[in-house]
Amino acid sequence: MRLDVFHTLLDRIVAQLTREARSTGFRKALEFEQRVREVTQDIADRLDGGAEPELLTAYPESFPLGLHVDMHPPAQAFPDIVLGDVGIEVKFTESDTWRCIANSVLETNKVHSVKHICVVYCKMGGTPEVRYDDWEKAVMHVRTSHVPRFEIEIGSKKSLFAIMGISYDDFSALEMSEKMKYIRNYAKGRLKEGEHLWWIDETAEEAEQHALSLGVRLYTNLTVEEKTKIRAEAVLLSPGILKSGRDRHKYDDVVMFMMTYHGVLCHQVRDLFSAGSAAGVGGNGIVRETPKEYKVKGKHFSGIYILRALLRLEEDMRKAAGYLDIRLFEEYWGEETVQRYDMSTTESRLAAWLDQADAYAKGWKPSDYLFLDVTGR
C-alpha cells in the first residue's frame, strides 16, 4: 500500500475512534485494540464501495484496497494489525499523555512482511483522543533499566533513530549484538558526569540475566572472599583511587561499580583501601607490622596505607585482570584510554593499570612495589 494512501486511511480511522472515545469511551487496551480492527475493516470496505469517490479519482491504482483484517491474530505479534505490507501497532492509556513504553528492541515477534508501521494511540485521560504517527518518528527513547524497550511519543520532536544515526529499517535488520552497540552508545551519551551504565552487555539476553541477578546487599554482610574479589575488581577499574587524599571524588567509580555491577552498597568505601585494617594494621584484633619504615620487596615506605592494602590485593587484582570484560575497562577508564594500551593479556592490562596509577600517585610510584614481574624491576 502506498504510504500516502495508508495515512489517508488512518486519518479516517482515528477520526472515527476519537468520536467514540469521547462519546462511549474505551475502558481497556484489548477493547480498544479490537475496536481498531473493526473500524479499520469497516472504513476500508466503505472506501472500496465508493463512499469517497474523490479518493478513487486521486489514487485509482490503489483502489480497491481489498483489505481483510484478521480479528483473531497470533498473540504478541508486532505490529498488532497487519494490512499486507503495512501495519498498525495499537497503544492505549487511561492517563493524559502521548508517551508510553512500547515493545522490546528484540522484536522477536515482528511480522517481517510489513514494510511500514504506524502506531494508533488512544489516550483516555484529559480530553479523550486518538492519534497516529509513523513508528520510526514516534520511537523517541529506549529504556535500559531491564530488557531494553522502546519508548514512544506521538508527535515526538526527534526520533531515537535520528539520534542514533540509523533508520528504523536498518536498525531492525541488525543482529541483537549490533543493535545493543547503538543502544549502549545512545545510553552513554545521556550519562551525566560521574554516572555509569549499570550494564555493559551487548545482547539483551545478557542484560536481562544481569538485571535479574541484581539484588542490593550491604558490603559488611559479604563473605571475606566476596569482599576481596569485589575490591580487587574495583581498584583495577579505578586507578584514580591513587589520587591525592584531598580529592573528594577519588572513590566515586568504586562506589558506582560496586552498586551498579554487583548490587553492593558500601557506606565507607574509603576505609576499604586507606584504613589501618585494610592495610593489615589492626583489624579483627590482629596487629601486624607498624606502618613505620615498612619494607617490601627491598623497598621502604612509611605509612602509605593504600599501598599496603593494594599489596594484600595484588594476586586478586592479577586474577581480575585476566577475567574482567574489556567493556568494563572501556566503561571506567574510557574508550580513548583503553585504546592507548595493549589489553590482550593479563600482564599488559596490569602494565596499563600501573601506568595510570603512577600518574595519579603523588610522591611515590605504585610500579615500584606492585606487579614487579610485569615491570621487570
Side-chain angles (χ1 to χ4, degrees):
M1 185 186 302
R2 283 179 47 159
L3 187 56
D4 51 358
V5 173
F6 185 33
H7 285 171
T8 298
L9 175 63
L10 288 169
D11 286 336
R12 285 143 183 80
I13 291 171
V14 300
Q16 172 67 32
L17 291 168
T18 294
R19 289 191 291 270
E20 294 182 13
R22 293 177 181 176
S23 58
T24 58
F26 299 103
R27 294 169 296 178
K28 299 293 182 181
L30 288 177
E31 173 192 351
F32 175 67
E33 182 180 322
Q34 191 62 22
R35 187 56 184 152
V36 175
R37 293 190 178 93
E38 296 168 354
V39 170
T40 299
Q41 185 69 72
D42 181 57
I43 291 178
D45 290 345
R46 287 195 286 112
L47 293 178
D48 283 350
E52 297 185 39
E54 66 277 11
L55 286 180
L56 277 67
T57 302
Y59 307 105
E61 74 286 359
S62 297
F63 287 90
L65 295 172
L67 297 181
H68 174 71
V69 179
D70 187 351
M71 297 298 169
H72 305 284
Q76 307 301 321
F78 175 71
D80 296 308
I81 302 172
V82 175
L83 306 171
D85 61 353
V86 298
I88 299 173
E89 178 69 2
V90 181
K91 294 298 173 186
F92 173 88
T93 182
E94 296 177 349
S95 303
D96 186 12
T97 179
W98 291 111
R99 185 168 174 169
C100 73
I101 302 300
N103 55 301
S104 164
V105 301
L106 279 165
E107 295 187 330
T108 51
N109 297 310
K110 184 177 180 181
V111 179
H112 293 287
S113 61
V114 174
K115 305 303 180 185
H116 189 85
I117 300 170
C118 284
V119 55
V120 170
Y121 188 118
C122 174
K123 76 169 186 69
M124 290 303 298
T127 301
E129 186 177 358
V130 180
R131 295 181 184 177
Y132 79 89
D133 205 348
D134 294 312
W135 181 256
E136 178 161 0
K137 295 178 181 177
V139 175
M140 39 70 68
H141 179 52
V142 60
R143 290 198 174 189
T144 55
S145 57
H146 191 48
V147 175
R149 300 181 70 88
F150 290 130
E151 189 169 345
I152 65 169
E153 183 178 37
I154 302 299
S156 175
K157 294 181 180 178
K158 192 167 186 180
S159 79
L160 170 69
F161 305 106
I163 295 172
M164 295 194 302
I166 185 173
S167 70
Y168 168 67
D169 287 342
D170 289 342
F171 179 85
S172 184
L174 295 174
E175 294 293 332
M176 196 58 213
S177 60
E178 294 301 312
K179 287 182 179 180
M180 291 302 292
K181 290 179 181 178
Y182 278 95
I183 292 170
R184 188 171 187 275
N185 287 336
Y186 166 74
K188 287 186 68 176
R190 293 170 55 84
L191 295 177
K192 298 177 182 178
E193 184 177 357
E195 294 181 341
H196 290 282
L197 297 180
W198 66 265
W199 50 278
I200 62 162
D201 313 285
E202 297 251 335
T203 70
E205 291 89 343
E206 289 176 334
E208 180 179 16
Q209 187 178 42
H210 183 187
L212 290 173
S213 65
L214 189 61
V216 178
R217 300 173 293 166
L218 289 176
Y219 179 84
T220 51
N221 292 338
L222 302 181
T223 65
V224 173
E225 291 75 16
E226 287 179 307
K227 290 177 180 178
T228 302
K229 178 177 182 291
I230 291 175
R231 285 172 64 215
E233 293 175 352
V235 73
L236 195 63
L237 296 171
S238 310
I241 68 167
L242 277 303
K243 293 178 182 178
S244 165
R246 292 187 294 273
D247 191 306
R248 294 172 52 238
H249 301 289
K250 61 185 290 185
Y251 293 111
D252 286 359
D253 280 354
V254 172
V255 174
M256 292 296 293
F257 171 71
M258 288 185 172
M259 189 67 217
T260 60
Y261 203 72
H262 285 292
V264 169
L265 176 62
C266 182
H267 294 99
Q268 296 292 336
V269 70
R270 175 185 176 277
D271 292 345
L272 304 187
F273 303 100
S274 59
S277 58
V281 180
N284 299 319
I286 301 174
V287 179
R288 303 186 181 180
E289 302 95 333
T290 169
K292 299 296 184 181
E293 297 300 319
Y294 185 70
K295 182 178 180 181
V296 61
K297 299 179 181 177
K299 296 181 174 62
H300 295 262
F301 57 93
S302 299
I304 307 177
Y305 279 21
I306 193 167
L307 174 54
R308 296 187 63 160
L310 294 180
L311 285 166
R312 300 179 74 196
L313 288 172
E314 189 172 20
E315 289 311 307
D316 293 283
M317 289 174 64
R318 189 186 301 274
K319 293 176 184 176
Y323 66 73
L324 284 177
D325 196 305
I326 186 65
R327 291 169 292 180
L328 273 171
F329 289 99
E330 292 172 347
E331 180 67 33
Y332 285 87
W333 291 6
E335 292 183 15
E336 292 184 1
T337 299
V338 169
Q339 290 172 3
R340 295 203 308 263
Y341 297 105
D342 172 13
M343 301 290 287
S344 61
T345 66
T346 297
E347 290 70 23
S348 63
R349 290 180 175 190
L350 292 174
W353 182 87
L354 285 170
D355 187 55
Q356 295 173 81
D358 281 355
Y360 286 126
K362 302 299 180 184
W364 64 285
K365 288 187 176 184
S367 60
D368 285 340
Y369 302 92
L370 293 156
F371 309 114
L372 298 186
D373 57 317
V374 171
T375 62
R377 300 184 184 182

